[in-house]
């Protein structure tokens, strides 16, 4: 059972402050208001003053959700945030597009580099420096959800990369198979199984095609010794274009199996675009388009918490599970620094497929990927499920643009212990599904499974337009730190959820329900931490 001394103190302090505030300004004795002798002179008619617009209530920033009969109350959530530093729970009008304005532009920033050298120290909160920033320009695509500037083209337009007027005359590189043409592109089909090292150049008129499921390598196991496993590496040059197959009945998606790598290294002026074949026709896709292919799955050998029936708890080499939507792609192991490749300056458009309820493919799925994997400058646009979902592992990410996701923008699960800095998460202007969060942090009801989630987010901008319970859902098994963030939401900003005491729920967020020291075996760090986060909730 974890200790809640810290959170109890925070709650008591907050309660005391509310009590003092209630007493502030009260008179000890009321004035009788009468006049002794004579007739009082008439009082002048006072000039009416306009009724001030009430400031947003801090308590309204939170939503309550019961789990296993337990509810983390708004007061308890308020105490958690108030235990941090420089947070604003009653903010208004923080953004112009996604650029901080007003009080958000001058808010005091926390030096996240003191937490870990992965983080860059900033003088501002939010994902973008209001004094001028360009990290999001050029390699991204624009939509009504987010406009990244004139150097970024339209997401719905045909990618201009690698187009040619004579695609039929273009030969497919070795390792791929010609499959006809589509508009101004020669389609070159990737093999169903990539073996060895396949390196593909960017060639004018070439669109590499994912036809059904494409596997990179054969699973080498969590400890790298699985019988029959053979690693492979698939490399795309800067400026490459990869599309799905719109005419096949199978789901098209790319799986990088444990031990193998995907190297997709674009540049700010020549990003690598993964999209649907329909996107090659300018009349096919628009702001509502989504779910036209299955996206990218990277698997790795880093620790996870949801071992299948044949695995064991504790992050051992045989702690593994199957990536949802694949049926047999395994992830997990015991190698925290595992390397599944590099994705830099990459767009993933119109992806995400629901195989069945709760069994979906995202834009980018990270299953047990390790800290050796390089992930930065990645846009996922209009995924029909999550933008990026992280299942355990130790991967770190920087410079993310997650736009138009129909479910969650950034979703983390099952023991992820990593860091994210500079992330713009913007939902569809018209709203996504009603259970869509800018960020959902899950524990699947197993609050004390290890490795426990220990995510750290810095310099994030969440723009919540969907009618979900909140912009951020934070479940009890996650020890999270939020730094230098801006949350602009049409609903409450934060929804903390914890389950029963039997599975650790009360010990992780709630300031009541048990006693005793924190067991080191459950990796409990205490309640979530908020530092310099600006909340503008309920359409403020």
């Amino acid at each position: 059972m974890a200790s809640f001394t810290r959170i109890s103190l925070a709650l008591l302090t907050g309660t005391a402050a509310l009590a003092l505030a209630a007493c502030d300004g009260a008179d000890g004795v009321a004035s009788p208001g009468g006049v002794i002798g004579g007739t009082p002179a008439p009082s002048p008619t006072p000039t009416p003053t306009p009724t001030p617009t009430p400031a947003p209530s801090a308590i309204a920033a939170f939503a309550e959700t019961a789990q296993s009969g337990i509810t983390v109350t708004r007061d308890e959530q308020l105490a958690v945030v108030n235990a941090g530093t420089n947070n604003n729970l009653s903010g208004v009008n923080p953004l112009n597009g996604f650029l901080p304005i007003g009080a958000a532009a001058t808010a005091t920033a926390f030096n996240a580099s003191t937490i870990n050298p992965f983080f860059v120290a900033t003088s501002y909160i939010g994902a973008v420096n209001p004094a001028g920033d360009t990290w999001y320009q050029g390699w991204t695509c624009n939509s009504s959800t987010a406009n990244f500037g004139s150097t970024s083209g339209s997401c719905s337009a045909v990618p201009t990369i690698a187009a040619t007027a004579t695609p039929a005359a273009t030969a497919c590189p070795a390792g791929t198979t010609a499959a006809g043409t589509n508009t101004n592109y020669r389609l070159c089909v990737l093999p169903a199984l990539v073996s060895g090292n396949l390196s593909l150049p960017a060639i004018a008129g070439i669109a590499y095609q994912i036809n059904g499921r494409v596997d990179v390598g054969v699973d080498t196991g969590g400890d790298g010794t699985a019988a029959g496993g053979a690693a492979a590496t698939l490399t795309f040059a800067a400026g490459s274009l990869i599309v799905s197959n719109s005419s096949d009945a199978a789901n098209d998606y790319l799986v990088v199996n444990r031990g193998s790598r995907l190297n997709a290294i674009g540049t700010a002026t020549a990003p690598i675009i993964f999209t649907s074949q329909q996107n090659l026709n300018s009349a096919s896709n628009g702001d509502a388009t989504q779910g036209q292919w299955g996206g990218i799955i990277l698997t790795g050998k880093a620790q996870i918490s949801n071992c299948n029936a044949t695995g064991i708890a504790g992050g051992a080499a045989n702690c593994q599970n199957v990536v949802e939507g694949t049926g047999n792609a395994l992830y997990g192991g015991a190698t925290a620094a595992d390397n599944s490749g590099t994705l830099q300056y990459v767009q993933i458009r119109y992806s995400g497929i629901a195989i069945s309820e709760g069994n979906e493919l995202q834009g980018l799925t990270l299953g047990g990927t390790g800290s050796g994997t390089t992930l930065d400058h990645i846009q996922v646009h209009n995924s029909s499920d999550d933008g990026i979902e992280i299942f355990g592992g130790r991967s770190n990410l920087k410079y993310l643009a997650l736009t138009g996701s129909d479910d969650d923008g950034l979703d983390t699960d099952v023991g992820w212990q990593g860091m994210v800095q500079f992330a713009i998460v913007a939902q569809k202007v018209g709203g996504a599904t009603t259970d869509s969060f800018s960020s959902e942090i899950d524990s699947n009801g197993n609050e004390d499974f290890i490795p426990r989630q220990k995510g750290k987010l810095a310099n994030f901008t969440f723009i919540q337009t969907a009618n979900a319970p909140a912009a951020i859902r934070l479940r009890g098994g996650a020890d999270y730190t939020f730094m230098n963030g801006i949350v602009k939401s049409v609903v409450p900003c934060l929804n903390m959820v914890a389950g029963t005491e039997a599975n650790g729920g009360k010990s992780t967020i709630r300031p009541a329900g048990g006693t005793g020291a924190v067991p080191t075996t459950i990796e409990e760090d205490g309640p979530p931490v908020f530092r310099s986060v600006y909340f503008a909730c309920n359409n403020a």
Side-chain angles (χ1 to χ4, degrees):
M1 179 62 56
S3 168
F4 2 91
T5 301
R6 173 181 163 199
I7 184 58
S8 296
L9 178 60
L11 180 58
L12 290 173
T13 303
T15 304
L18 291 172
L20 289 173
C23 296
D24 187 27
D27 293 329
V29 179
S31 168
V35 178
I36 300 176
T39 302
S43 300
T45 302
T47 302
T49 57
T51 303
T53 301
S57 169
I59 205 72
F62 307 101
E64 295 180 351
T65 299
Q67 179 174 304
S68 303
I70 302 297
T71 298
V72 185
T73 69
R74 291 181 177 87
D75 283 330
E76 290 166 339
Q77 296 179 64
L78 175 62
V80 170
V81 176
N82 281 343
T85 55
N86 294 319
N87 300 307
N88 186 337
L89 280 163
S90 303
V92 295
N93 192 29
L95 298 171
N96 178 16
F98 50 80
L99 296 175
I101 60 174
T106 58
T108 300
F110 174 77
N111 184 359
S113 68
T114 61
I115 300 295
N116 191 285
F118 169 82
F119 293 113
V120 176
T122 67
S123 60
Y124 57 90
I125 67 170
V128 178
N129 187 348
D133 210 340
T134 59
W135 69 257
Y136 52 85
Q137 293 181 349
W139 60 274
T140 50
C141 64
N142 292 323
S143 66
S144 62
T145 297
N147 187 339
F148 295 108
S150 60
T151 58
S152 297
S154 169
C155 296
S156 59
V158 176
T160 57
I161 293 171
T164 181
T166 57
T170 307
C172 288
T176 65
T177 304
T181 61
N182 185 296
T183 59
N184 291 330
Y185 296 90
R186 160 69 72 182
L187 300 176
C188 298
V189 180
L190 298 173
L193 174 62
V194 175
S195 302
N197 296 317
L198 178 57
S199 184
L200 298 173
I203 301 175
I206 292 292
Y208 298 108
Q209 189 174 64
I210 297 171
N211 189 349
R213 170 172 166 169
V214 171
D215 283 273
V216 179
V218 178
D219 179 47
T220 61
D223 59 359
T225 60
T233 300
L234 174 61
T235 301
F236 292 107
S240 296
L241 173 64
I242 303 93
V243 301
S244 62
N245 184 349
S246 61
S247 61
D248 65 340
N251 294 318
D252 304 321
Y253 59 99
L254 180 66
V255 178
V256 180
N257 289 294
R258 289 185 297 186
S260 295
R261 296 179 182 179
L262 170 64
N263 292 324
I265 305 173
T267 68
T269 56
I272 296 172
I273 298 179
F274 293 83
T275 189
S276 63
Q277 184 176 345
Q278 294 94 318
N279 199 192
L280 299 181
N281 184 335
S282 60
S284 294
N285 289 2
D287 273 347
T289 304
Q290 61 183 28
Q292 293 179 329
W293 67 293
I296 299 173
I297 299 169
L298 299 185
T299 69
K301 308 174 191 176
Q303 293 86 342
I304 65 173
S305 66
N306 63 328
C307 306
N308 62 16
T310 61
I312 60 174
N318 62 335
C319 182
Q320 61 186 19
N321 217 315
V322 177
V323 178
E324 66 177 37
T326 68
N328 61 1
L330 295 168
Y331 70 100
T335 308
D338 191 40
N339 183 352
S340 299
T342 299
L343 270 65
Q344 292 179 308
Y345 295 101
V346 166
Q347 291 179 30
I348 304 172
R349 303 183 184 178
Y350 306 115
S351 57
I353 293 176
I355 308 301
S356 60
E357 181 65 28
N359 186 28
E360 301 97 1
L361 298 174
Q362 340 294 326
L364 175 62
T365 300
L366 304 177
T369 52
S371 60
T373 309
T374 300
L375 301 160
D376 64 72
H377 296 87
I378 298 171
Q379 179 181 18
V380 181
H381 177 68
N382 275 29
S383 168
S384 68
D385 197 59
D386 301 330
I388 297 178
E389 184 161 13
I390 307 175
F391 294 91
R394 298 291 185 273
S395 289
N396 305 313
L397 304 91
K398 265 184 182 169
Y399 302 110
L400 305 179
L402 308 180
T403 55
S405 300
D406 199 47
D407 197 6
D408 310 316
L410 178 64
D411 190 342
T412 68
D413 310 88
V414 300
W416 173 64
Q417 295 186 0
M419 296 169 282
V420 173
Q421 188 175 25
F422 306 118
I424 298 170
V425 179
Q427 292 177 316
K428 293 181 177 69
V429 172
T433 57
T434 56
D435 196 41
S436 301
F437 302 87
S438 292
S439 184
E440 183 170 28
I441 297 109
D442 275 333
S443 59
N444 299 325
N446 301 311
E447 315 289 24
D448 286 345
F449 272 23
I450 57 172
R452 184 182 293 276
Q453 279 211 74
K454 294 179 184 289
K456 294 177 174 59
L457 275 62
N459 294 97
F460 56 93
T461 298
F462 291 165
I463 303 174
Q464 176 78 22
T465 58
N467 189 27
I472 301 172
R473 170 165 281 176
L474 176 62
R475 296 190 186 274
D479 291 344
Y480 254 62
T481 300
F482 298 85
M483 300 169 284
N484 299 334
I486 297 174
V487 183
K488 177 176 172 56
S489 178
V490 299
V491 293
C493 288
L494 188 59
N495 176 215
M496 297 186 190
V497 182
T500 62
E501 186 175 351
N503 65 12
K506 290 184 178 180
S507 69
T508 54
I509 290 179
R510 302 186 78 251
T515 59
V518 177
T520 57
T521 54
I522 65 170
E523 302 181 348
E524 170 60 52
D525 286 348
V529 176
F530 294 83
R531 292 175 169 137
S532 299
V533 180
Y534 188 100
F535 296 94
C537 315
N538 301 296
N539 237 352

